[in-house]
Structure formats: C-alpha cells, structure tokens
Coordinates of all heavy atoms in Angstrom, one line a residue:
K19 N -171.5 67.6 -72.5 CA -170.5 68.6 -72.1 C -170.1 68.6 -70.7 O -170.9 68.2 -69.8 CB -171.3 70.0 -72.5 CG -170.4 71.2 -72.1 CD -171.2 72.5 -72.5 CE -172.4 72.8 -71.6 NZ -173.0 74.1 -71.9
K20 N -168.9 69.1 -70.4 CA -168.5 69.3 -69.0 C -167.8 70.7 -68.9 O -167.3 71.2 -70.0 CB -167.3 68.3 -68.6 CG -167.8 67.0 -68.1 CD -166.7 66.2 -67.6 CE -167.1 64.8 -67.2 NZ -167.6 64.8 -65.8
I21 N -168.1 71.4 -67.8 CA -167.4 72.6 -67.6 C -166.5 72.4 -66.3 O -167.0 72.0 -65.2 CB -168.5 73.7 -67.2 CG1 -169.4 74.0 -68.4 CG2 -167.8 75.0 -66.8 CD1 -170.4 75.0 -68.3
G22 N -165.2 72.5 -66.5 CA -164.3 72.4 -65.3 C -163.9 73.7 -64.7 O -163.8 74.7 -65.3
H23 N -163.9 73.6 -63.5 CA -163.6 74.8 -62.6 C -162.3 74.6 -61.9 O -162.1 73.7 -61.2 CB -164.7 75.1 -61.5 CG -166.0 75.3 -62.2 ND1 -166.6 76.5 -62.5 CD2 -167.0 74.3 -62.5 CE1 -167.8 76.3 -62.9 NE2 -168.0 75.0 -63.0
L24 N -161.4 75.6 -62.0 CA -160.1 75.5 -61.3 C -159.9 76.9 -60.8 O -159.6 77.9 -61.5 CB -158.9 75.2 -62.3 CG -157.5 75.0 -61.7 CD1 -157.5 73.9 -60.6 CD2 -156.5 74.8 -62.7
G25 N -160.1 77.1 -59.5 CA -160.2 78.4 -58.9 C -161.4 79.3 -59.5 O -162.4 78.7 -59.6
K26 N -161.0 80.4 -60.0 CA -162.0 81.2 -60.7 C -162.0 81.0 -62.1 O -162.8 81.7 -62.9 CB -161.7 82.7 -60.3 CG -161.8 83.1 -58.9 CD -161.4 84.5 -58.7 CE -161.6 85.0 -57.3 NZ -161.2 86.4 -57.0
N27 N -161.2 80.0 -62.6 CA -161.1 79.8 -64.1 C -162.1 78.7 -64.5 O -162.3 77.7 -63.7 CB -159.7 79.4 -64.5 CG -158.7 80.5 -64.1 OD1 -158.6 81.5 -64.9 ND2 -158.0 80.3 -63.1
T28 N -162.8 78.9 -65.6 CA -163.6 77.8 -66.1 C -163.2 77.4 -67.6 O -162.7 78.2 -68.3 CB -165.1 78.3 -66.2 OG1 -165.1 79.3 -67.1 CG2 -165.6 78.7 -64.8
L29 N -163.3 76.1 -67.9 CA -163.0 75.6 -69.1 C -164.2 74.6 -69.5 O -164.6 73.8 -68.8 CB -161.7 74.8 -69.2 CG -160.5 75.6 -68.7 CD1 -160.0 75.1 -67.2 CD2 -159.3 75.3 -69.7
T30 N -164.5 74.8 -70.9 CA -165.5 74.0 -71.4 C -164.9 72.9 -72.3 O -164.2 73.4 -73.2 CB -166.6 74.9 -72.2 OG1 -167.2 75.8 -71.3 CG2 -167.7 74.0 -72.8
Y31 N -165.3 71.7 -72.1 CA -164.9 70.7 -73.1 C -166.2 69.9 -73.5 O -166.9 69.4 -72.7 CB -163.8 69.8 -72.6 CG -163.9 69.3 -71.2 CD1 -163.8 68.0 -70.9 CD2 -163.9 70.1 -70.1 CE1 -163.9 67.4 -69.7 CE2 -163.8 69.7 -68.8 CZ -163.9 68.4 -68.6 OH -163.8 67.9 -67.3
D32 N -166.3 69.8 -74.8 CA -167.5 69.4 -75.4 C -167.1 68.8 -76.8 O -166.1 68.5 -77.1 CB -168.7 70.4 -75.5 CG -168.2 71.7 -76.1 OD1 -167.2 71.6 -77.0 OD2 -168.9 72.8 -76.1
C33 N -168.2 68.6 -77.6 CA -167.9 68.0 -78.9 C -167.1 69.0 -79.9 O -166.6 68.5 -81.0 CB -169.3 67.8 -79.7 SG -170.2 66.5 -78.8
N34 N -166.9 70.2 -79.5 CA -166.1 71.1 -80.3 C -164.8 71.5 -79.7 O -164.0 72.1 -80.4 CB -167.0 72.4 -80.6 CG -168.3 72.0 -81.4 OD1 -168.3 71.4 -82.3 ND2 -169.4 72.6 -80.9
N35 N -164.7 71.2 -78.5 CA -163.4 71.6 -77.8 C -163.0 70.4 -76.8 O -163.7 69.8 -76.1 CB -163.7 72.7 -76.8 CG -164.3 74.0 -77.6 OD1 -163.4 74.8 -78.2 ND2 -165.6 74.1 -77.6
Y36 N -161.6 70.0 -77.1 CA -161.1 69.0 -76.2 C -160.3 69.6 -75.1 O -160.0 70.8 -75.1 CB -160.2 68.0 -77.1 CG -159.0 68.8 -77.8 CD1 -157.8 68.9 -77.2 CD2 -159.2 69.2 -79.2 CE1 -156.7 69.6 -77.9 CE2 -158.1 69.7 -79.7 CZ -156.9 70.0 -79.2 OH -155.9 70.5 -79.8
L37 N -160.0 68.8 -74.1 CA -159.3 69.2 -72.8 C -158.0 68.6 -72.8 O -157.8 67.3 -73.0 CB -160.1 69.0 -71.7 CG -159.5 69.5 -70.3 CD1 -159.9 71.1 -70.3 CD2 -160.2 68.8 -69.1
V38 N -156.9 69.3 -72.5 CA -155.6 68.7 -72.3 C -155.1 69.2 -70.9 O -155.1 70.3 -70.4 CB -154.6 69.3 -73.3 CG1 -153.2 68.5 -73.0 CG2 -155.0 68.9 -74.7
V39 N -154.8 68.1 -70.1 CA -154.3 68.3 -68.7 C -152.8 67.8 -68.7 O -152.5 66.6 -68.6 CB -155.1 67.6 -67.6 CG1 -154.6 68.1 -66.2 CG2 -156.5 67.9 -67.9
P40 N -151.8 68.7 -68.9 CA -150.5 68.2 -69.0 C -149.8 67.9 -67.7 O -148.6 67.6 -67.7 CB -149.7 69.4 -69.6 CG -150.7 70.4 -69.8 CD -151.9 70.1 -69.0
T41 N -150.5 67.9 -66.5 CA -150.0 67.7 -65.2 C -150.9 67.1 -64.4 O -152.1 66.8 -64.8 CB -149.2 68.8 -64.6 OG1 -148.6 68.4 -63.4 CG2 -150.2 69.9 -64.3
T42 N -150.6 66.8 -63.2 CA -151.7 66.3 -62.1 C -152.4 67.4 -61.5 O -151.9 68.3 -60.9 CB -151.1 65.5 -61.0 OG1 -150.2 64.5 -61.5 CG2 -152.1 64.8 -60.1
L43 N -153.7 67.6 -61.8 CA -154.6 68.7 -61.4 C -156.0 68.2 -61.0 O -156.5 67.3 -61.7 CB -154.7 69.7 -62.5 CG -153.6 70.8 -62.5 CD1 -154.0 71.8 -63.6 CD2 -153.4 71.6 -61.2
P44 N -156.5 68.7 -60.0 CA -157.9 68.5 -59.6 C -158.9 69.6 -60.3 O -158.7 70.8 -60.2 CB -158.0 68.6 -58.2 CG -157.0 69.7 -57.8 CD -155.9 69.6 -59.0
L45 N -159.9 69.1 -61.0 CA -160.9 70.0 -61.6 C -162.3 69.6 -60.9 O -162.7 68.5 -60.9 CB -160.9 69.8 -63.1 CG -159.9 70.5 -64.0 CD1 -160.2 70.1 -65.4 CD2 -159.8 71.9 -63.8
E46 N -163.0 70.7 -60.6 CA -164.3 70.5 -60.2 C -165.2 70.6 -61.3 O -165.3 71.7 -62.0 CB -164.8 71.5 -59.1 CG -164.0 71.3 -57.8 CD -164.2 72.4 -56.7 OE1 -164.4 73.6 -57.1 OE2 -164.4 72.0 -55.5
C47 N -165.9 69.6 -61.7 CA -166.4 69.4 -63.1 C -168.0 69.4 -63.0 O -168.5 68.5 -62.2 CB -166.0 68.2 -63.9 SG -164.2 68.3 -64.2
E48 N -168.7 70.2 -63.7 CA -170.1 70.1 -63.9 C -170.4 69.4 -65.2 O -169.9 69.7 -66.3 CB -170.7 71.6 -64.0 CG -172.2 71.8 -64.0 CD -172.6 73.1 -64.0 OE1 -171.9 74.0 -64.0 OE2 -173.9 73.3 -64.0
T49 N -171.3 68.3 -65.1 CA -171.4 67.3 -66.2 C -172.9 67.4 -66.7 O -173.9 67.4 -65.9 CB -171.2 65.9 -65.8 OG1 -169.9 65.8 -65.2 CG2 -171.3 64.9 -67.0
Y50 N -173.0 67.7 -68.0 CA -174.3 67.9 -68.6 C -174.6 66.5 -69.4 O -174.0 66.2 -70.4 CB -174.4 69.0 -69.6 CG -174.3 70.4 -68.9 CD1 -173.1 70.9 -68.5 CD2 -175.4 71.1 -68.6 CE1 -172.9 72.1 -67.8 CE2 -175.4 72.3 -68.0 CZ -174.1 72.7 -67.6 OH -174.0 74.0 -67.0
A51 N -175.7 65.8 -68.9 CA -176.0 64.5 -69.5 C -177.4 64.2 -69.1 O -178.0 64.6 -68.0 CB -175.0 63.4 -69.0
T52 N -178.1 63.3 -69.9 CA -179.4 62.7 -69.7 C -179.4 61.3 -70.0 O -178.5 60.9 -70.7 CB -180.5 63.6 -70.4 OG1 -180.3 63.3 -71.8 CG2 -180.5 64.9 -70.1
K53 N -180.4 60.5 -69.6 CA -180.5 59.2 -70.1 C -180.6 59.1 -71.5 O -180.2 58.2 -72.2 CB -181.7 58.5 -69.4 CG -181.4 58.3 -67.9 CD -182.6 57.4 -67.3 CE -182.3 57.1 -65.8 NZ -183.4 56.3 -65.2
E54 N -181.3 60.0 -72.2 CA -181.6 60.1 -73.6 C -180.3 60.5 -74.4 O -180.0 60.1 -75.5 CB -182.7 61.0 -74.0 CG -184.1 60.7 -73.5 CD -184.2 60.9 -72.0 OE1 -183.5 61.8 -71.4 OE2 -185.1 60.1 -71.3
E55 N -179.6 61.4 -73.8 CA -178.3 61.8 -74.4 C -177.2 61.8 -73.4 O -176.9 62.9 -72.8 CB -178.4 63.1 -75.0 CG -177.3 63.6 -75.9 CD -177.7 64.9 -76.7 OE1 -178.7 64.9 -77.3 OE2 -176.8 65.9 -76.6
P56 N -176.6 60.6 -73.1 CA -175.5 60.6 -71.9 C -174.3 61.3 -72.4 O -174.0 61.5 -73.6 CB -175.3 59.0 -71.9 CG -175.7 58.5 -73.2 CD -176.8 59.3 -73.6
F57 N -173.5 61.7 -71.4 CA -172.1 62.3 -71.6 C -171.3 61.0 -71.8 O -171.1 60.1 -71.1 CB -171.7 63.0 -70.5 CG -170.2 63.5 -70.5 CD1 -170.0 64.6 -71.2 CD2 -169.1 62.7 -70.0 CE1 -168.7 65.2 -71.3 CE2 -167.9 63.2 -70.1 CZ -167.7 64.4 -70.7
I58 N -170.5 61.2 -72.9 CA -169.6 60.1 -73.4 C -168.2 60.7 -73.8 O -168.2 61.7 -74.5 CB -170.0 59.2 -74.6 CG1 -171.4 58.6 -74.3 CG2 -169.0 58.1 -75.0 CD1 -172.1 57.9 -75.5
C59 N -167.1 60.2 -73.3 CA -165.7 60.8 -73.7 C -164.7 59.7 -73.8 O -164.9 58.6 -73.2 CB -165.3 61.9 -72.6 SG -164.8 61.3 -71.1

C-alpha cells in the first residue's frame, strides 16, 4: 500500500484502489512494505 499526500489531501492506492495521475504532479508518498511482503506495482 501507498498513501499519497498532495497538500492536505491524501489518496490511498493499494490492491483495491488504483491511482490515476492525468498530469505532471509531485506526490509525497508513504510506502507500506516489508521483506516478507514487499510493495509491488
């Protein structure tokens, strides 16, 4: 899972939700991953 931050807005993208970025934008992202269960996208 990742949680993206854009200003005060947050977006979660994970196995149940995909993310669409229709333009050039910077997102500050928090990534949830472990060696046993890595983040893959």
Side-chain angles (χ1 to χ4, degrees):
K19 178 176 73 173
K20 273 185 183 284
I21 297 178
H23 302 266
L24 185 61
K26 295 180 180 179
N27 301 281
T28 60
L29 299 105
T30 298
Y31 43 120
D32 53 20
C33 298
N34 299 311
N35 302 275
Y36 59 86
L37 186 80
V38 180
V39 190
T41 184
T42 307
L43 273 183
L45 280 181
E46 293 178 322
C47 300
E48 185 177 5
T49 306
Y50 291 82
T52 63
K53 288 186 177 180
E54 294 73 28
E55 193 170 306
F57 175 86
I58 303 173
C59 74

